[in-house]
Amino acid sequence: PSPHGTRLRPPVLKTAELCATCHKVGLLPEVTQSQWLRGQNDYDAWQQSLAAGNGVAAIYRPPTVEVKRCQDCHMPLTKLRSGQLVRSHRFLAANTALAALRNDGETVERTREFLRGAVSLDLAVLPRPAGAQEPLPNLDAQVSVQRGEPLRFDVVLRNRRVGHRFPGGTNDSNDVWVEVEVRAPGGRAALRDATHRVRAQPVDEHGEPLVRRDPQRMRGVVYDTSVAPADPQVVRYRVDLRLLPDSLTASELVLSAALRYRKFTPDYARFACAKLPSAAPAELRQRCLEPPTIEIAAATRRLVLSSRAEASAAEPPAESAGPAERHRTATAIHPQ
């Protein structure tokens, strides 16, 4: 608490309001050439959450959950060689693109560890409805399913450790998605889907998606699937297993799901990396175009296929043979 330290470290540096000066953005009419719009806003999501000790969720906060500021997560205390504790100035969050561009592998790995498990993912297989009432989901690691019947399951995401919405920051250029797959153990063919995005999508005055971070053209947001602090998100899928040839003979299948994160969408990466000098090394250009992909959470289930007397029900559709089958295989899992 010396005069020098007091001058260099005013009390505002310890507040979340300091971070809000950049992380709560107003897009003024002078920017949009239209109406006022809210841009990125991590402050309000934090301030209204149990992470800040506010809101209804804070009433049920477990004793182990502490009230935290932005600095507690993004500038954690780090021990120096002298033993003194100081605030880290790595500002770890989710920007692996910049670290990868400057070939800073250590920061990429620290960020990967920082994000791992921040959002949890679980799989719940839904039994075939027996009547009007929806059956309870099955959370067992091994689930029995009827061969030839459609498979329904939920991917359940929950924001466990992020004190604001996930993803945060420039949510229109983040690339976060759920990837699901069904295959036989050791099988080469698989049914896959990676269409569910966890992000926000702004549009221009014509309703066209903005892909180059153009706030001056933004007129609204058509969807926002980011996950609020402590909140869950459920994505329901339906799979026609008959489109997977191995399902006709295999005794079991493996259902897997993963939540993956990449700092920039491919569209934005191509746009930004086009500014690299023509003499830039090919390896540098590749690091720019392909920011690291981080697996935040994953889950698997074993699907034991029970036999069925009616052979016709287990036969694949006639039109699923040949090259067309490969096309459908990539899109045969449909988020509902």
Side-chain angles (χ1 to χ4, degrees), residues 69-294:
R69 309 158 299 164
C70 314
Q71 292 88 336
D72 294 323
C73 292
H74 298 289
M75 298 184 70
L77 289 171
T78 303
K79 184 179 289 188
L80 301 179
R81 292 178 182 175
S82 64
Q84 180 185 1
L85 292 176
V86 299
R87 290 286 174 186
S88 169
H89 281 64
R90 292 181 182 272
F91 296 102
L92 287 179
N95 192 349
T96 54
L98 182 59
L101 188 62
R102 63 173 185 254
N103 207 19
D104 183 358
E106 180 185 357
T107 297
V108 171
E109 290 309 309
R110 284 175 178 264
T111 304
R112 191 186 305 274
E113 190 60 32
F114 184 74
L115 287 175
R116 185 175 290 119
V119 175
S120 64
L121 182 150
D122 207 351
L123 279 168
V125 178
L126 302 172
R128 182 183 182 186
Q133 187 175 2
E134 182 76 11
L136 293 175
N138 192 322
L139 296 171
D140 295 340
Q142 179 174 305
V143 183
S144 178
V145 297
Q146 192 74 42
R147 194 187 302 272
E149 291 289 342
L151 171 68
R152 298 189 309 150
F153 62 92
D154 288 342
V155 173
V156 184
L157 308 176
R158 186 176 178 190
N159 186 343
R160 298 279 184 178
R161 216 175 58 230
V162 183
H164 46 76
R165 300 190 73 86
F166 173 86
T170 53
N171 212 348
D172 55 328
S173 59
N174 292 323
D175 199 16
V176 186
W177 68 97
V178 174
E179 187 172 307
V180 295
E181 179 183 275
V182 181
R183 69 163 64 237
R188 298 175 60 184
L191 303 179
R192 295 188 184 92
D193 181 80
T195 57
H196 180 72
R197 254 51 189 178
V198 184
R199 57 189 295 268
Q201 182 58 66
V203 293
D204 62 15
E205 61 182 348
H206 304 294
E208 293 295 328
L210 297 179
V211 297
R212 297 183 176 182
R213 305 230 62 247
D214 295 332
Q216 74 279 6
R217 297 173 55 207
M218 180 177 167
R219 296 297 181 270
V221 176
V222 291
Y223 70 81
D224 184 353
T225 54
S226 60
V227 191
D231 273 5
Q233 181 180 122
V234 179
V235 190
R236 177 158 293 182
Y237 293 84
R238 184 180 184 276
V239 188
D240 185 353
L241 292 177
R242 296 175 300 174
L243 294 175
L244 181 64
D246 288 342
S247 70
L248 305 178
T249 55
S251 60
E252 67 178 54
L253 302 174
V254 177
L255 168 64
S256 61
L259 178 65
R260 306 192 190 281
Y261 168 89
R262 188 165 47 200
K263 174 56 185 171
F264 294 133
T265 63
D267 285 330
Y268 183 73
R270 285 191 293 269
F271 166 68
C273 298
K275 300 296 183 181
L276 284 174
S278 57
E283 189 260 346
L284 173 64
R285 190 174 299 277
Q286 191 70 16
R287 291 203 309 269
C288 185
L289 286 170
E290 297 181 5
T293 297
I294 293 177

Side-chain angles (χ1 to χ4, degrees), residues 8 21-22 34 38 48 56 89 94 100 118 145 147 170 194 209 265 274 330 332:
L8 289 181
T21 57
C22 289
S34 181
R38 174 64 69 200
Q48 298 166 11
V56 174
H89 281 64
V145 297
R147 194 187 302 272
T170 53
T265 63

Side-chain angles (χ1 to χ4, degrees), residues 189 191 242-245 316 319-330:
L191 303 179
R242 296 175 300 174
L243 294 175
L244 181 64
E319 68 273 17
S320 65
E325 179 188 350
R326 290 193 292 272
H327 174 74
R328 272 191 297 275
T329 295

